[in-house]
Amino acid sequence: QVQLVESGGGFVQAGGSLTLSCAASGRTFSDYAMGWFRQAPGKEREFVAGIRWSGGWPSYADPVKGRFTISRHDASDTLYLQMNSLKTEDTAVYYCAAGPYYSDYGLFSSILYDYWGQGTQVTVSS
């Protein structure tokens, strides 16, 4: 199976920035999606950002548009999430996810993702 390992989480003050990384290993797909989800205490897991590895326009959840940027580095099979202007409501465990891409589903759909990382904690303080 594909293994995903997140890193880069930590503590940051509101207004600050963090960059999360997701290193992928294992079998690859010719066309797959990768994304970031998060789960805050007492809340359901929610979509943050997603990208089709072969290209295309990334997808972002409304609360992070203009603040977060998802990107990838093909050579290292690494996914990134650059988070700027962080808010306390961004506090959550962030999960990297991956799966074969199907055009029937939007990148926001968790159904699209078969593989998940262990999560990395992001804590934004005021």
Side-chain angles (χ1 to χ4, degrees), residues 35-57:
W36 292 94
F37 291 76
R38 67 187 183 186
Q39 186 170 22
K43 298 187 67 177
E44 297 293 322
R45 182 182 62 190
E46 64 178 1
F47 172 78
V48 177
I51 192 169
R52 184 179 179 181
W53 201 261
S54 62
W57 204 255

Side-chain angles (χ1 to χ4, degrees), residues 75-117:
S76 59
D77 278 339
T78 303
L79 183 74
Y80 300 96
L81 183 68
Q82 181 182 340
M83 304 183 293
N84 300 129
S85 301
L86 283 162
K87 304 175 181 179
T88 55
E89 51 262 43
D90 295 319
T91 295
V93 177
Y94 284 72
Y95 297 92
C96 177
Y101 180 77
Y102 295 94
S103 61
D104 291 351
Y105 302 98
L107 290 169
F108 62 87
S109 177
S110 62
I111 299 175
L112 195 59
Y113 303 96
D114 297 321
Y115 306 98
W116 298 82

Side-chain angles (χ1 to χ4, degrees), residues 3-47:
Q3 183 177 359
L4 305 173
V5 180
E6 303 97 331
S7 61
F11 292 86
V12 65
Q13 194 170 17
S17 300
L18 281 176
T19 299
L20 306 182
S21 299
C22 174
S25 62
R27 69 179 303 177
T28 58
F29 305 95
S30 59
D31 193 2
Y32 58 97
M34 294 192 72
W36 292 94
F37 291 76
R38 67 187 183 186
Q39 186 170 22
K43 298 187 67 177
E44 297 293 322
R45 182 182 62 190
E46 64 178 1
F47 172 78

